[in-house]
Amino acid sequence: MDTLERNQASRPRHISAEEWAVRVDLAAAYRLIRHFGWDDLILTHNSARVPGTTDQFLINPMGLMFDEITASNLIKIDVEGNQVEPSEYEPNYAGFVIHSAIYLGRPDVNCVIHTHTEADIAVGALEEGLLPLSQWAMRFYNRLGYHDYEGVSLDLDERERLQASIGEHPVLVLRNHGLLATGRNVAEAFSHTYHFERSAAAQLKIQAAAAAGARIVVPPVETCERQAALFANSGNTPRLGGQREWPALLRLVEKLDPGFRA
Ligand SMILES: [Zn+2]
């Protein structure tokens, strides 16, 4: 059975093949976030737009750990916060506010990954934010939004400010809070998350060394810009945008626990 057949094998009849494929990818992303240690108990939330809709998205049920998320227990809500299909679970309200802001403001985005990690919070708390100090960070050079902390996102009027803060960027740094990485699909949003986390962790080590007296080498501005443009213009090619590694990541999740496909 190939990956595509395996993805569809457990699909309930009332869910389209397209939606089920997105559910499987999103459930895999939850398992990967847990695997890499970027989860935060039952908090934080990741979502994907329901294929063929502009106003509906899939998100985790409040109360489950990320290794309990499956393709079928993701809940479907609209940008008004209504549950589209009955579920025994509720969404995280702050999750609804943050994710609906992005889906309303960015028709090109089909997946949003939100993390709270020590590295992304630490870098987001620095006035200068993420610096181009590693190859991981190059794709984000002059291509990051920053959003000042307003407390837990429970006010609907923060949506407009979140939209203004992210602009057309792929990733939004939520200062003192975490990260919001978007993508045209789950693979791309995961790739942005991965590269930001590695960039942030490396930067903090470099800055710790600098604080102890080491001198930092920073690549020339032109090099950083050229690399960032290369990633921005890569399109949805098999080589870039996270597409190349996604099948391998799915195999990793399969080995961890194939139950995510249920
Ligand atoms: Zn959060």
Side-chain angles (χ1 to χ4, degrees):
M1 196 184 283
D2 67 16
T3 303
L4 195 62
E5 287 172 337
R6 208 162 43 235
N7 280 352
Q8 292 292 332
S10 50
R11 174 170 68 92
R13 280 190 182 173
H14 71 283
I15 298 178
S16 71
E18 293 76 16
E19 180 181 327
W20 189 251
V22 170
R23 282 176 175 267
V24 169
D25 280 347
L26 184 57
Y30 276 92
R31 303 301 183 98
L32 289 166
I33 289 164
R34 167 86 167 156
H35 174 71
F36 285 102
W38 307 329
D39 56 336
D40 184 11
L41 303 179
I42 61 166
L43 307 169
T44 84
H45 16 81
N46 312 295
S47 68
R49 199 190 295 271
V50 176
T53 75
T54 56
D55 64 342
Q56 297 177 7
F57 58 96
L58 303 161
I59 196 164
N60 49 322
M62 185 70 175
L64 298 188
M65 296 294 273
F66 282 15
D67 60 358
E68 298 175 314
I69 303 292
T70 68
S72 58
N73 69 22
L74 291 161
I75 56 179
K76 193 190 290 189
I77 62 176
D78 66 20
V79 292
E80 306 300 326
N82 304 307
Q83 291 211 28
V84 177
E85 288 167 359
S87 167
E88 60 182 300
Y89 299 106
E90 296 278 330
N92 175 317
Y93 187 77
F96 150 68
V97 172
I98 292 171
H99 292 252
S100 63
I102 304 302
Y103 292 120
L104 282 166
R106 289 284 298 273
D108 59 313
V109 166
N110 291 313
C111 178
V112 179
I113 290 180
H114 174 47
T115 48
H116 303 158
T117 72
E118 291 171 19
D120 63 36
I121 291 169
V123 165
L126 300 176
E127 195 171 53
E128 65 265 37
L130 190 76
L131 299 170
L133 298 176
S134 67
Q135 182 162 271
W136 290 310
M138 290 301 152
R139 67 190 60 211
F140 303 117
Y141 183 70
N142 283 340
R143 285 160 178 83
L144 281 177
Y146 289 86
H147 185 72
D148 287 338
Y149 188 58
E150 298 186 19
V152 177
S153 301
L154 300 177
D155 296 327
L156 275 180
D157 65 1
E158 191 179 354
R159 296 200 294 193
E160 281 184 22
R161 294 189 292 282
L162 284 162
Q163 290 163 354
S165 297
I166 194 170
E168 295 303 311
H169 295 306
V171 172
L172 180 62
V173 176
L174 301 170
R175 290 195 180 278
N176 315 102
H177 174 186
L179 193 73
L180 213 58
T182 72
R184 289 161 291 185
N185 53 32
V186 174
E188 189 175 51
F190 184 83
S191 176
H192 288 321
T193 304
Y194 175 85
H195 286 92
F196 191 95
E197 292 299 332
R198 301 301 299 266
S199 304
Q203 177 175 326
L204 295 170
K205 287 187 177 178
I206 294 165
Q207 289 178 317
R215 294 172 66 179
I216 302 178
V217 175
V218 183
V221 165
E222 305 75 47
T223 303
C224 299
E225 178 55 38
R226 193 170 64 245
Q227 287 302 298
L230 183 73
F231 285 108
N233 296 330
S234 65
N236 201 15
T237 65
R239 182 171 159 71
L240 295 170
Q243 313 310 304
R244 185 173 56 173
E245 61 265 35
W246 189 247
L249 287 166
L250 284 177
R251 291 196 299 276
L252 169 60
V253 181
E254 186 80 33
K255 282 176 230 163
L256 295 171
D257 174 10
F260 77 103
R261 298 181 188 279

